[in-house]
Amino acid sequence: MDLTALSREFVTLFVLVDPIGSIPVFLFAVSAVPRKLHRRFAMRATLIAGLVLFGFLVLGQLALEAIGLDLGSFQIAGGIVLFLFALTMIFGDTKSDTEIEEAEKHRDHLAGAVFPLAMPSIASPGAMLGIVVLTDNRTQTLPEQAITAGLLLLVLIVTLICMFAATYIFRLIGHTGISVISRVMGIILATIAVDAVLVGLESLGLFEISPTAIPAS
């Protein structure tokens, strides 16, 4: 896997997990939790989200194949869902606003590390779909999938660090800054989603992506 592919996968995972967008959700979730427990709370949420995402990485495609679904079809469906998810990031309420509003209806301080922080803020439906699309058993070797797993772990570590520094970061960029970053990430995600659909069409033999022509020197 070359540097370009590594960068692409890292950006994809970073956008899907959205560590910055999880900061307001974390601050809301710990609002009634003693300050000395905030770090433990963040670690618990990250661990739960990590288990869910790594579970999809290992078992996602196997589950699809067990029920007779082609990964190409899943890539197309996943790309469409990710595109719709991206549109909500660009034009709708920010991720944090939506998740906080939903959590206020079902507030349970003891379960706050699970809902809304671990799921659906960190381990979002988009992240679950994306991790399966990125680890195609037919085209990705085991070492390449291990690299993807390592990149996911790195993104989760970044997410944990962001939560550790949540108060400082939120004071620095504010809700407006987080909203702007979230919408920029939505644009990136929309591009990734379109590419996933094209790759799915190519996988099913319905479309062929021509290699970029290299100008003669």
Side-chain angles (χ1 to χ4, degrees), residues 7-21 89 95 122 134 151-152 154-156 158-159 162 181 185 188 192:
S7 301
R8 176 190 173 84
E9 288 205 0
F10 177 79
V11 170
T12 300
L13 292 169
F14 190 89
V15 170
L16 290 171
V17 175
D18 191 8
I20 302 298
M89 292 176 68
K95 172 177 119 171
I122 301 173
L134 287 174
L151 293 175
L152 174 59
L154 179 59
V155 171
L156 289 173
V158 172
T159 303
C162 285
I181 293 172
M185 287 186 171
I188 297 171
I192 293 168

Side-chain angles (χ1 to χ4, degrees), residues 23-45:
I23 290 174
V25 184
F26 170 74
L27 293 175
F28 168 79
V30 298
S31 58
V33 176
R35 192 172 189 84
K36 64 181 181 180
L37 298 178
H38 284 194
R39 289 201 169 195
R40 187 182 302 174
F41 193 93
M43 288 187 288
R44 180 185 178 195

Side-chain angles (χ1 to χ4, degrees), residues 23 59 78 86 104 117 143 146 151 201 207 217:
I23 290 174
L59 301 174
E104 285 175 338
L117 189 53
L151 293 175
L201 289 171
F207 186 82
S217 56

